Amino acid sequence: ILALNGLAQYLLRLNYLTKSPVMSANLEHIQQIMDEADVLFTEAQVEAAIDRVAVQMNEQLHDTNPIVFCVMNGGLIFSGKLLTKLTFPLEQSYLHASRYRNETSGGELFWKAKPEVSLMDRNVLIVDDILDEGHTLSAIIEFCQRAGASSVRTVVLMDKQHDRKARPGLAADFFGLHCEDRYIFGYGMDYKGYWRNAAGIYAVKGM
């Protein structure tokens, strides 16, 4: 009886969530964001950038036996496309650290999933969607260094151009494209949790 009551409560809650009017209002706004967005880079331009980065990495990392960490969730699409173009042996894993929490400006850094494998004496490659201010990326790099990694390299799809980096000289070892200082989404980058799936790099109108 208790189990049935619990199931009934779950189904009622699920029914409530799927019929929430707030969700419909949010989706209208989310669609408007895409409809009005500026296209910064087309899918073809992004794919060409990924190809170029892969060539550079194949030349420089072919004998390093790296363990590659995709930074979730933003790095997922870029990582999936990039890794299939790398022609050397590697191990692949993931980690999840974030500052944004689906907001449009930064917040406190928190970990959802730390690396679960030993990094001692390993060459580490961090794959992320964008280098913005870089607080998250800096924290990940420091974590890997403290864990005993021999080297920590980074690759990002987008490098945002501004003077607000977390520390002087912060830069990715490899990057796909430079972008202007706007709120961008697509290819793994999101607008309030949406449009990571957008095939291109877009900027929110007026932001």
PDB file of all heavy atoms in Angstrom, residues 33 36-41 100 104-105 130-133 158-162 164 178-186 189-191 201-207:
ATOM      1  N   ILE A  33      14.564  33.741 -28.276  1.00  0.00           N
ATOM      2  CA  ILE A  33      16.007  33.978 -28.213  1.00  0.00           C
ATOM      3  C   ILE A  33      16.679  33.475 -29.479  1.00  0.00           C
ATOM      4  O   ILE A  33      17.512  34.165 -30.093  1.00  0.00           O
ATOM      5  CB  ILE A  33      16.610  33.311 -26.967  1.00  0.00           C
ATOM      6  CG1 ILE A  33      16.185  34.051 -25.695  1.00  0.00           C
ATOM      7  CG2 ILE A  33      18.141  33.242 -27.065  1.00  0.00           C
ATOM      8  CD1 ILE A  33      16.701  35.469 -25.594  1.00  0.00           C
ATOM      9  N   GLU A  36      15.715  35.541 -32.730  1.00  0.00           N
ATOM     10  CA  GLU A  36      16.287  36.887 -32.827  1.00  0.00           C
ATOM     11  C   GLU A  36      17.815  36.903 -32.738  1.00  0.00           C
ATOM     12  O   GLU A  36      18.435  37.964 -32.864  1.00  0.00           O
ATOM     13  CB  GLU A  36      15.709  37.770 -31.716  1.00  0.00           C
ATOM     14  CG  GLU A  36      14.203  37.972 -31.801  1.00  0.00           C
ATOM     15  CD  GLU A  36      13.660  38.819 -30.668  1.00  0.00           C
ATOM     16  OE1 GLU A  36      14.438  39.096 -29.712  1.00  0.00           O
ATOM     17  OE2 GLU A  36      12.477  39.197 -30.726  1.00  0.00           O
ATOM     18  N   ALA A  37      18.432  35.750 -32.541  1.00  0.00           N
ATOM     19  CA  ALA A  37      19.873  35.693 -32.302  1.00  0.00           C
ATOM     20  C   ALA A  37      20.678  36.064 -33.551  1.00  0.00           C
ATOM     21  O   ALA A  37      20.233  35.880 -34.685  1.00  0.00           O
ATOM     22  CB  ALA A  37      20.271  34.298 -31.837  1.00  0.00           C
ATOM     23  N   ASP A  38      21.870  36.589 -33.318  1.00  0.00           N
ATOM     24  CA  ASP A  38      22.818  36.871 -34.393  1.00  0.00           C
ATOM     25  C   ASP A  38      23.701  35.644 -34.619  1.00  0.00           C
ATOM     26  O   ASP A  38      24.201  35.049 -33.661  1.00  0.00           O
ATOM     27  CB  ASP A  38      23.705  38.059 -34.024  1.00  0.00           C
ATOM     28  CG  ASP A  38      22.914  39.343 -33.836  1.00  0.00           C
ATOM     29  OD1 ASP A  38      21.972  39.570 -34.619  1.00  0.00           O
ATOM     30  OD2 ASP A  38      23.234  40.106 -32.901  1.00  0.00           O
ATOM     31  N   VAL A  39      23.909  35.277 -35.864  1.00  0.00           N
ATOM     32  CA  VAL A  39      24.798  34.164 -36.194  1.00  0.00           C
ATOM     33  C   VAL A  39      26.232  34.687 -36.235  1.00  0.00           C
ATOM     34  O   VAL A  39      26.566  35.537 -37.069  1.00  0.00           O
ATOM     35  CB  VAL A  39      24.433  33.536 -37.546  1.00  0.00           C
ATOM     36  CG1 VAL A  39      25.382  32.376 -37.857  1.00  0.00           C
ATOM     37  CG2 VAL A  39      22.988  33.071 -37.557  1.00  0.00           C
ATOM     38  N   LEU A  40      27.063  34.190 -35.340  1.00  0.00           N
ATOM     39  CA  LEU A  40      28.471  34.586 -35.340  1.00  0.00           C
ATOM     40  C   LEU A  40      29.308  33.671 -36.220  1.00  0.00           C
ATOM     41  O   LEU A  40      30.201  34.137 -36.934  1.00  0.00           O
ATOM     42  CB  LEU A  40      29.017  34.591 -33.910  1.00  0.00           C
ATOM     43  CG  LEU A  40      28.337  35.528 -32.910  1.00  0.00           C
ATOM     44  CD1 LEU A  40      29.100  35.510 -31.585  1.00  0.00           C
ATOM     45  CD2 LEU A  40      28.227  36.947 -33.452  1.00  0.00           C
ATOM     46  N   PHE A  41      29.028  32.365 -36.144  1.00  0.00           N
ATOM     47  CA  PHE A  41      29.740  31.387 -36.968  1.00  0.00           C
ATOM     48  C   PHE A  41      28.756  30.317 -37.420  1.00  0.00           C
ATOM     49  O   PHE A  41      27.990  29.781 -36.614  1.00  0.00           O
ATOM     50  CB  PHE A  41      30.891  30.730 -36.187  1.00  0.00           C
ATOM     51  CG  PHE A  41      31.946  31.700 -35.731  1.00  0.00           C
ATOM     52  CD1 PHE A  41      31.939  32.176 -34.435  1.00  0.00           C
ATOM     53  CD2 PHE A  41      32.938  32.131 -36.604  1.00  0.00           C
ATOM     54  CE1 PHE A  41      32.906  33.075 -34.004  1.00  0.00           C
ATOM     55  CE2 PHE A  41      33.904  33.034 -36.184  1.00  0.00           C
ATOM     56  CZ  PHE A  41      33.893  33.510 -34.882  1.00  0.00           C
ATOM     57  N   TYR A 100      27.989  28.735 -13.434  1.00  0.00           N
ATOM     58  CA  TYR A 100      26.844  29.471 -13.954  1.00  0.00           C
ATOM     59  C   TYR A 100      25.480  29.006 -13.445  1.00  0.00           C
ATOM     60  O   TYR A 100      24.584  29.815 -13.274  1.00  0.00           O
ATOM     61  CB  TYR A 100      26.844  29.416 -15.494  1.00  0.00           C
ATOM     62  CG  TYR A 100      27.980  30.205 -16.064  1.00  0.00           C
ATOM     63  CD1 TYR A 100      29.067  29.570 -16.653  1.00  0.00           C
ATOM     64  CD2 TYR A 100      27.993  31.591 -15.992  1.00  0.00           C
ATOM     65  CE1 TYR A 100      30.121  30.302 -17.168  1.00  0.00           C
ATOM     66  CE2 TYR A 100      29.051  32.330 -16.499  1.00  0.00           C
ATOM     67  CZ  TYR A 100      30.101  31.674 -17.092  1.00  0.00           C
ATOM     68  OH  TYR A 100      31.143  32.396 -17.594  1.00  0.00           O
ATOM     69  N   THR A 104      22.836  33.767 -16.433  1.00  0.00           N
ATOM     70  CA  THR A 104      23.585  34.459 -17.472  1.00  0.00           C
ATOM     71  C   THR A 104      24.855  35.116 -16.965  1.00  0.00           C
ATOM     72  O   THR A 104      25.625  35.665 -17.728  1.00  0.00           O
ATOM     73  CB  THR A 104      22.706  35.537 -18.147  1.00  0.00           C
ATOM     74  OG1 THR A 104      22.231  36.452 -17.156  1.00  0.00           O
ATOM     75  CG2 THR A 104      21.522  34.903 -18.849  1.00  0.00           C
ATOM     76  N   SER A 105      25.086  35.082 -15.669  1.00  0.00           N
ATOM     77  CA  SER A 105      26.330  35.609 -15.127  1.00  0.00           C
ATOM     78  C   SER A 105      26.861  34.639 -14.083  1.00  0.00           C
ATOM     79  O   SER A 105      26.139  33.790 -13.588  1.00  0.00           O
ATOM     80  CB  SER A 105      26.104  36.990 -14.485  1.00  0.00           C
ATOM     81  OG  SER A 105      25.148  36.915 -13.456  1.00  0.00           O
ATOM     82  N   ILE A 130      34.146  26.813 -23.932  1.00  0.00           N
ATOM     83  CA  ILE A 130      34.544  28.211 -24.090  1.00  0.00           C
ATOM     84  C   ILE A 130      35.479  28.646 -22.962  1.00  0.00           C
ATOM     85  O   ILE A 130      35.340  28.202 -21.820  1.00  0.00           O
ATOM     86  CB  ILE A 130      33.299  29.134 -24.124  1.00  0.00           C
ATOM     87  CG1 ILE A 130      33.685  30.589 -24.397  1.00  0.00           C
ATOM     88  CG2 ILE A 130      32.490  29.000 -22.834  1.00  0.00           C
ATOM     89  CD1 ILE A 130      32.492  31.487 -24.685  1.00  0.00           C
ATOM     90  N   LEU A 131      36.428  29.470 -23.318  1.00  0.00           N
ATOM     91  CA  LEU A 131      37.230  30.173 -22.314  1.00  0.00           C
ATOM     92  C   LEU A 131      36.673  31.579 -22.232  1.00  0.00           C
ATOM     93  O   LEU A 131      36.888  32.401 -23.125  1.00  0.00           O
ATOM     94  CB  LEU A 131      38.710  30.200 -22.705  1.00  0.00           C
ATOM     95  CG  LEU A 131      39.631  30.994 -21.781  1.00  0.00           C
ATOM     96  CD1 LEU A 131      39.539  30.488 -20.353  1.00  0.00           C
ATOM     97  CD2 LEU A 131      41.073  30.959 -22.279  1.00  0.00           C
ATOM     98  N   ASP A 132      35.926  31.837 -21.164  1.00  0.00           N
ATOM     99  CA  ASP A 132      35.355  33.159 -20.937  1.00  0.00           C
ATOM    100  C   ASP A 132      36.266  33.853 -19.922  1.00  0.00           C
ATOM    101  O   ASP A 132      37.389  34.216 -20.243  1.00  0.00           O
ATOM    102  CB  ASP A 132      33.916  33.031 -20.453  1.00  0.00           C
ATOM    103  CG  ASP A 132      33.152  34.349 -20.477  1.00  0.00           C
ATOM    104  OD1 ASP A 132      33.802  35.411 -20.548  1.00  0.00           O
ATOM    105  OD2 ASP A 132      31.916  34.332 -20.404  1.00  0.00           O
ATOM    106  N   GLU A 133      35.827  34.016 -18.704  1.00  0.00           N
ATOM    107  CA  GLU A 133      36.728  34.562 -17.684  1.00  0.00           C
ATOM    108  C   GLU A 133      37.728  33.513 -17.229  1.00  0.00           C
ATOM    109  O   GLU A 133      38.845  33.833 -16.844  1.00  0.00           O
ATOM    110  CB  GLU A 133      35.915  35.097 -16.513  1.00  0.00           C
ATOM    111  CG  GLU A 133      35.053  36.297 -16.894  1.00  0.00           C
ATOM    112  CD  GLU A 133      34.249  36.820 -15.711  1.00  0.00           C
ATOM    113  OE1 GLU A 133      34.430  36.294 -14.591  1.00  0.00           O
ATOM    114  OE2 GLU A 133      33.456  37.744 -15.908  1.00  0.00           O
ATOM    115  N   MET A 158      35.702  27.890 -28.191  1.00  0.00           N
ATOM    116  CA  MET A 158      35.613  29.336 -28.329  1.00  0.00           C
ATOM    117  C   MET A 158      36.485  30.031 -27.293  1.00  0.00           C
ATOM    118  O   MET A 158      36.494  29.646 -26.129  1.00  0.00           O
ATOM    119  CB  MET A 158      34.163  29.805 -28.155  1.00  0.00           C
ATOM    120  CG  MET A 158      33.155  29.128 -29.069  1.00  0.00           C
ATOM    121  SD  MET A 158      33.502  29.380 -30.826  1.00  0.00           S
ATOM    122  CE  MET A 158      33.404  31.165 -30.931  1.00  0.00           C
ATOM    123  N   ASP A 159      37.183  31.061 -27.734  1.00  0.00           N
ATOM    124  CA  ASP A 159      37.971  31.911 -26.842  1.00  0.00           C
ATOM    125  C   ASP A 159      37.366  33.304 -26.905  1.00  0.00           C
ATOM    126  O   ASP A 159      37.469  33.987 -27.934  1.00  0.00           O
ATOM    127  CB  ASP A 159      39.430  31.935 -27.281  1.00  0.00           C
ATOM    128  CG  ASP A 159      40.304  32.777 -26.365  1.00  0.00           C
ATOM    129  OD1 ASP A 159      39.834  33.135 -25.269  1.00  0.00           O
ATOM    130  OD2 ASP A 159      41.449  33.076 -26.753  1.00  0.00           O
ATOM    131  N   LYS A 160      36.717  33.723 -25.824  1.00  0.00           N
ATOM    132  CA  LYS A 160      36.044  35.019 -25.813  1.00  0.00           C
ATOM    133  C   LYS A 160      37.058  36.129 -25.540  1.00  0.00           C
ATOM    134  O   LYS A 160      37.862  36.044 -24.607  1.00  0.00           O
ATOM    135  CB  LYS A 160      34.930  35.044 -24.763  1.00  0.00           C
ATOM    136  CG  LYS A 160      34.089  36.307 -24.802  1.00  0.00           C
ATOM    137  CD  LYS A 160      32.969  36.275 -23.769  1.00  0.00           C
ATOM    138  CE  LYS A 160      31.852  35.329 -24.140  1.00  0.00           C
ATOM    139  NZ  LYS A 160      30.667  35.487 -23.249  1.00  0.00           N
ATOM    140  N   GLN A 161      36.986  37.172 -26.341  1.00  0.00           N
ATOM    141  CA  GLN A 161      37.969  38.255 -26.297  1.00  0.00           C
ATOM    142  C   GLN A 161      37.524  39.373 -25.354  1.00  0.00           C
ATOM    143  O   GLN A 161      36.573  40.105 -25.634  1.00  0.00           O
ATOM    144  CB  GLN A 161      38.178  38.809 -27.707  1.00  0.00           C
ATOM    145  CG  GLN A 161      38.693  37.778 -28.700  1.00  0.00           C
ATOM    146  CD  GLN A 161      40.087  37.304 -28.328  1.00  0.00           C
ATOM    147  OE1 GLN A 161      41.069  38.002 -28.550  1.00  0.00           O
ATOM    148  NE2 GLN A 161      40.178  36.109 -27.768  1.00  0.00           N
ATOM    149  N   HIS A 162      38.199  39.492 -24.224  1.00  0.00           N
ATOM    150  CA  HIS A 162      37.991  40.584 -23.279  1.00  0.00           C
ATOM    151  C   HIS A 162      39.153  40.598 -22.296  1.00  0.00           C
ATOM    152  O   HIS A 162      40.047  39.751 -22.381  1.00  0.00           O
ATOM    153  CB  HIS A 162      36.650  40.452 -22.538  1.00  0.00           C
ATOM    154  CG  HIS A 162      36.464  39.150 -21.835  1.00  0.00           C
ATOM    155  ND1 HIS A 162      37.279  38.715 -20.811  1.00  0.00           N
ATOM    156  CD2 HIS A 162      35.536  38.164 -21.993  1.00  0.00           C
ATOM    157  CE1 HIS A 162      36.873  37.545 -20.368  1.00  0.00           C
ATOM    158  NE2 HIS A 162      35.826  37.181 -21.076  1.00  0.00           N
ATOM    159  N   ARG A 164      38.909  40.366 -18.886  1.00  0.00           N
ATOM    160  CA  ARG A 164      38.430  39.962 -17.559  1.00  0.00           C
ATOM    161  C   ARG A 164      38.850  38.525 -17.206  1.00  0.00           C
ATOM    162  O   ARG A 164      38.168  37.867 -16.425  1.00  0.00           O
ATOM    163  CB  ARG A 164      36.905  40.070 -17.491  1.00  0.00           C
ATOM    164  CG  ARG A 164      36.361  41.463 -17.777  1.00  0.00           C
ATOM    165  CD  ARG A 164      34.861  41.536 -17.499  1.00  0.00           C
ATOM    166  NE  ARG A 164      34.123  40.470 -18.166  1.00  0.00           N
ATOM    167  CZ  ARG A 164      33.732  40.509 -19.440  1.00  0.00           C
ATOM    168  NH1 ARG A 164      34.016  41.571 -20.193  1.00  0.00           N
ATOM    169  NH2 ARG A 164      33.054  39.511 -19.970  1.00  0.00           N
ATOM    170  N   HIS A 178      38.063  32.619 -32.078  1.00  0.00           N
ATOM    171  CA  HIS A 178      37.880  33.773 -31.212  1.00  0.00           C
ATOM    172  C   HIS A 178      36.459  34.296 -31.407  1.00  0.00           C
ATOM    173  O   HIS A 178      35.910  34.252 -32.512  1.00  0.00           O
ATOM    174  CB  HIS A 178      38.855  34.900 -31.568  1.00  0.00           C
ATOM    175  CG  HIS A 178      40.266  34.631 -31.177  1.00  0.00           C
ATOM    176  ND1 HIS A 178      40.642  34.353 -29.875  1.00  0.00           N
ATOM    177  CD2 HIS A 178      41.412  34.617 -31.910  1.00  0.00           C
ATOM    178  CE1 HIS A 178      41.944  34.175 -29.823  1.00  0.00           C
ATOM    179  NE2 HIS A 178      42.439  34.322 -31.042  1.00  0.00           N
ATOM    180  N   CYS A 179      35.870  34.821 -30.333  1.00  0.00           N
ATOM    181  CA  CYS A 179      34.550  35.437 -30.468  1.00  0.00           C
ATOM    182  C   CYS A 179      34.501  36.732 -29.681  1.00  0.00           C
ATOM    183  O   CYS A 179      35.278  36.941 -28.744  1.00  0.00           O
ATOM    184  CB  CYS A 179      33.431  34.496 -30.012  1.00  0.00           C
ATOM    185  SG  CYS A 179      33.381  34.177 -28.247  1.00  0.00           S
ATOM    186  N   GLU A 180      33.594  37.582 -30.072  1.00  0.00           N
ATOM    187  CA  GLU A 180      33.434  38.861 -29.400  1.00  0.00           C
ATOM    188  C   GLU A 180      32.806  38.665 -28.025  1.00  0.00           C
ATOM    189  O   GLU A 180      32.294  37.590 -27.697  1.00  0.00           O
ATOM    190  CB  GLU A 180      32.575  39.801 -30.246  1.00  0.00           C
ATOM    191  CG  GLU A 180      31.216  39.235 -30.620  1.00  0.00           C
ATOM    192  CD  GLU A 180      30.531  40.059 -31.690  1.00  0.00           C
ATOM    193  OE1 GLU A 180      29.970  41.116 -31.332  1.00  0.00           O
ATOM    194  OE2 GLU A 180      30.560  39.669 -32.872  1.00  0.00           O
ATOM    195  N   ASP A 181      32.844  39.704 -27.228  1.00  0.00           N
ATOM    196  CA  ASP A 181      32.397  39.642 -25.833  1.00  0.00           C
ATOM    197  C   ASP A 181      30.873  39.797 -25.759  1.00  0.00           C
ATOM    198  O   ASP A 181      30.356  40.856 -25.391  1.00  0.00           O
ATOM    199  CB  ASP A 181      33.101  40.727 -25.016  1.00  0.00           C
ATOM    200  CG  ASP A 181      32.847  40.580 -23.525  1.00  0.00           C
ATOM    201  OD1 ASP A 181      32.362  39.519 -23.115  1.00  0.00           O
ATOM    202  OD2 ASP A 181      33.131  41.539 -22.790  1.00  0.00           O
ATOM    203  N   ARG A 182      30.181  38.715 -26.114  1.00  0.00           N
ATOM    204  CA  ARG A 182      28.720  38.695 -26.066  1.00  0.00           C
ATOM    205  C   ARG A 182      28.260  37.389 -25.428  1.00  0.00           C
ATOM    206  O   ARG A 182      29.065  36.495 -25.187  1.00  0.00           O
ATOM    207  CB  ARG A 182      28.128  38.826 -27.473  1.00  0.00           C
ATOM    208  CG  ARG A 182      28.462  40.137 -28.165  1.00  0.00           C
ATOM    209  CD  ARG A 182      27.787  40.243 -29.513  1.00  0.00           C
ATOM    210  NE  ARG A 182      26.321  40.228 -29.388  1.00  0.00           N
ATOM    211  CZ  ARG A 182      25.504  40.218 -30.436  1.00  0.00           C
ATOM    212  NH1 ARG A 182      25.994  40.213 -31.665  1.00  0.00           N
ATOM    213  NH2 ARG A 182      24.191  40.216 -30.270  1.00  0.00           N
ATOM    214  N   TYR A 183      26.971  37.296 -25.148  1.00  0.00           N
ATOM    215  CA  TYR A 183      26.424  36.055 -24.587  1.00  0.00           C
ATOM    216  C   TYR A 183      26.134  35.107 -25.747  1.00  0.00           C
ATOM    217  O   TYR A 183      25.245  35.355 -26.556  1.00  0.00           O
ATOM    218  CB  TYR A 183      25.145  36.326 -23.791  1.00  0.00           C
ATOM    219  CG  TYR A 183      24.734  35.125 -22.973  1.00  0.00           C
ATOM    220  CD1 TYR A 183      25.174  34.963 -21.671  1.00  0.00           C
ATOM    221  CD2 TYR A 183      23.926  34.137 -23.528  1.00  0.00           C
ATOM    222  CE1 TYR A 183      24.826  33.865 -20.939  1.00  0.00           C
ATOM    223  CE2 TYR A 183      23.574  33.022 -22.797  1.00  0.00           C
ATOM    224  CZ  TYR A 183      24.028  32.883 -21.504  1.00  0.00           C
ATOM    225  OH  TYR A 183      23.698  31.776 -20.777  1.00  0.00           O
ATOM    226  N   ILE A 184      26.920  34.030 -25.849  1.00  0.00           N
ATOM    227  CA  ILE A 184      26.821  33.143 -26.993  1.00  0.00           C
ATOM    228  C   ILE A 184      26.304  31.770 -26.595  1.00  0.00           C
ATOM    229  O   ILE A 184      26.409  31.349 -25.435  1.00  0.00           O
ATOM    230  CB  ILE A 184      28.164  33.019 -27.731  1.00  0.00           C
ATOM    231  CG1 ILE A 184      29.220  32.347 -26.845  1.00  0.00           C
ATOM    232  CG2 ILE A 184      28.653  34.395 -28.182  1.00  0.00           C
ATOM    233  CD1 ILE A 184      30.521  32.084 -27.585  1.00  0.00           C
ATOM    234  N   PHE A 185      25.752  31.074 -27.588  1.00  0.00           N
ATOM    235  CA  PHE A 185      25.247  29.723 -27.357  1.00  0.00           C
ATOM    236  C   PHE A 185      25.361  28.911 -28.641  1.00  0.00           C
ATOM    237  O   PHE A 185      25.572  29.444 -29.727  1.00  0.00           O
ATOM    238  CB  PHE A 185      23.808  29.739 -26.834  1.00  0.00           C
ATOM    239  CG  PHE A 185      22.806  30.341 -27.775  1.00  0.00           C
ATOM    240  CD1 PHE A 185      22.139  29.549 -28.706  1.00  0.00           C
ATOM    241  CD2 PHE A 185      22.504  31.697 -27.732  1.00  0.00           C
ATOM    242  CE1 PHE A 185      21.203  30.095 -29.577  1.00  0.00           C
ATOM    243  CE2 PHE A 185      21.567  32.257 -28.595  1.00  0.00           C
ATOM    244  CZ  PHE A 185      20.919  31.452 -29.524  1.00  0.00           C
ATOM    245  N   GLY A 186      25.191  27.598 -28.494  1.00  0.00           N
ATOM    246  CA  GLY A 186      25.312  26.674 -29.611  1.00  0.00           C
ATOM    247  C   GLY A 186      26.539  25.797 -29.471  1.00  0.00           C
ATOM    248  O   GLY A 186      27.498  26.138 -28.776  1.00  0.00           O
ATOM    249  N   MET A 189      27.304  25.186 -25.858  1.00  0.00           N
ATOM    250  CA  MET A 189      27.071  26.345 -24.992  1.00  0.00           C
ATOM    251  C   MET A 189      25.580  26.637 -24.947  1.00  0.00           C
ATOM    252  O   MET A 189      24.876  26.471 -25.939  1.00  0.00           O
ATOM    253  CB  MET A 189      27.856  27.553 -25.512  1.00  0.00           C
ATOM    254  CG  MET A 189      29.358  27.356 -25.416  1.00  0.00           C
ATOM    255  SD  MET A 189      30.310  28.586 -26.352  1.00  0.00           S
ATOM    256  CE  MET A 189      30.082  27.964 -28.021  1.00  0.00           C
ATOM    257  N   ASP A 190      25.109  27.078 -23.793  1.00  0.00           N
ATOM    258  CA  ASP A 190      23.666  27.169 -23.609  1.00  0.00           C
ATOM    259  C   ASP A 190      23.190  28.576 -23.292  1.00  0.00           C
ATOM    260  O   ASP A 190      23.957  29.442 -22.858  1.00  0.00           O
ATOM    261  CB  ASP A 190      23.224  26.246 -22.474  1.00  0.00           C
ATOM    262  CG  ASP A 190      23.636  26.782 -21.106  1.00  0.00           C
ATOM    263  OD1 ASP A 190      24.847  26.911 -20.843  1.00  0.00           O
ATOM    264  OD2 ASP A 190      22.749  27.085 -20.292  1.00  0.00           O
ATOM    265  N   TYR A 191      21.908  28.768 -23.504  1.00  0.00           N
ATOM    266  CA  TYR A 191      21.198  29.928 -22.969  1.00  0.00           C
ATOM    267  C   TYR A 191      20.190  29.400 -21.950  1.00  0.00           C
ATOM    268  O   TYR A 191      19.212  28.762 -22.308  1.00  0.00           O
ATOM    269  CB  TYR A 191      20.475  30.714 -24.063  1.00  0.00           C
ATOM    270  CG  TYR A 191      19.654  31.859 -23.494  1.00  0.00           C
ATOM    271  CD1 TYR A 191      20.274  33.048 -23.121  1.00  0.00           C
ATOM    272  CD2 TYR A 191      18.288  31.724 -23.268  1.00  0.00           C
ATOM    273  CE1 TYR A 191      19.548  34.082 -22.561  1.00  0.00           C
ATOM    274  CE2 TYR A 191      17.550  32.758 -22.708  1.00  0.00           C
ATOM    275  CZ  TYR A 191      18.181  33.934 -22.360  1.00  0.00           C
ATOM    276  OH  TYR A 191      17.469  34.957 -21.781  1.00  0.00           O
ATOM    277  N   ILE A 201      27.277  28.973 -33.915  1.00  0.00           N
ATOM    278  CA  ILE A 201      27.525  29.802 -32.744  1.00  0.00           C
ATOM    279  C   ILE A 201      26.695  31.066 -32.895  1.00  0.00           C
ATOM    280  O   ILE A 201      26.840  31.809 -33.865  1.00  0.00           O
ATOM    281  CB  ILE A 201      29.013  30.164 -32.612  1.00  0.00           C
ATOM    282  CG1 ILE A 201      29.883  28.901 -32.595  1.00  0.00           C
ATOM    283  CG2 ILE A 201      29.235  30.996 -31.350  1.00  0.00           C
ATOM    284  CD1 ILE A 201      29.602  27.959 -31.456  1.00  0.00           C
ATOM    285  N   TYR A 202      25.836  31.281 -31.908  1.00  0.00           N
ATOM    286  CA  TYR A 202      24.886  32.394 -31.934  1.00  0.00           C
ATOM    287  C   TYR A 202      25.145  33.327 -30.770  1.00  0.00           C
ATOM    288  O   TYR A 202      25.639  32.906 -29.722  1.00  0.00           O
ATOM    289  CB  TYR A 202      23.448  31.873 -31.867  1.00  0.00           C
ATOM    290  CG  TYR A 202      23.049  31.013 -33.033  1.00  0.00           C
ATOM    291  CD1 TYR A 202      23.387  29.662 -33.064  1.00  0.00           C
ATOM    292  CD2 TYR A 202      22.336  31.539 -34.096  1.00  0.00           C
ATOM    293  CE1 TYR A 202      23.026  28.864 -34.136  1.00  0.00           C
ATOM    294  CE2 TYR A 202      21.970  30.745 -35.171  1.00  0.00           C
ATOM    295  CZ  TYR A 202      22.315  29.400 -35.188  1.00  0.00           C
ATOM    296  OH  TYR A 202      21.950  28.620 -36.253  1.00  0.00           O
ATOM    297  N   ALA A 203      24.743  34.590 -30.933  1.00  0.00           N
ATOM    298  CA  ALA A 203      24.813  35.569 -29.850  1.00  0.00           C
ATOM    299  C   ALA A 203      23.405  36.085 -29.566  1.00  0.00           C
ATOM    300  O   ALA A 203      22.630  36.363 -30.494  1.00  0.00           O
ATOM    301  CB  ALA A 203      25.722  36.739 -30.232  1.00  0.00           C
ATOM    302  N   VAL A 204      23.084  36.188 -28.289  1.00  0.00           N
ATOM    303  CA  VAL A 204      21.774  36.697 -27.879  1.00  0.00           C
ATOM    304  C   VAL A 204      21.650  38.151 -28.287  1.00  0.00           C
ATOM    305  O   VAL A 204      22.564  38.954 -28.071  1.00  0.00           O
ATOM    306  CB  VAL A 204      21.586  36.551 -26.354  1.00  0.00           C
ATOM    307  CG1 VAL A 204      20.249  37.132 -25.910  1.00  0.00           C
ATOM    308  CG2 VAL A 204      21.688  35.085 -25.940  1.00  0.00           C
ATOM    309  N   LYS A 205      20.524  38.499 -28.857  1.00  0.00           N
ATOM    310  CA  LYS A 205      20.304  39.871 -29.284  1.00  0.00           C
ATOM    311  C   LYS A 205      20.422  40.828 -28.095  1.00  0.00           C
ATOM    312  O   LYS A 205      19.797  40.634 -27.061  1.00  0.00           O
ATOM    313  CB  LYS A 205      18.910  39.994 -29.911  1.00  0.00           C
ATOM    314  CG  LYS A 205      18.578  41.393 -30.417  1.00  0.00           C
ATOM    315  CD  LYS A 205      17.185  41.445 -31.033  1.00  0.00           C
ATOM    316  CE  LYS A 205      16.838  42.833 -31.539  1.00  0.00           C
ATOM    317  NZ  LYS A 205      15.472  42.873 -32.129  1.00  0.00           N
ATOM    318  N   GLY A 206      21.245  41.849 -28.247  1.00  0.00           N
ATOM    319  CA  GLY A 206      21.408  42.853 -27.210  1.00  0.00           C
ATOM    320  C   GLY A 206      22.279  42.454 -26.060  1.00  0.00           C
ATOM    321  O   GLY A 206      22.431  43.196 -25.091  1.00  0.00           O
ATOM    322  N   MET A 207      22.919  41.265 -26.139  1.00  0.00           N
ATOM    323  CA  MET A 207      23.765  40.802 -25.034  1.00  0.00           C
ATOM    324  C   MET A 207      25.121  40.350 -25.593  1.00  0.00           C
ATOM    325  O   MET A 207      25.225  39.868 -26.686  1.00  0.00           O
ATOM    326  CB  MET A 207      23.116  39.633 -24.284  1.00  0.00           C
ATOM    327  CG  MET A 207      21.822  39.987 -23.582  1.00  0.00           C
ATOM    328  SD  MET A 207      21.122  38.595 -22.658  1.00  0.00           S
ATOM    329  CE  MET A 207      22.349  38.400 -21.370  1.00  0.00           C
TER     330      MET A 207
END
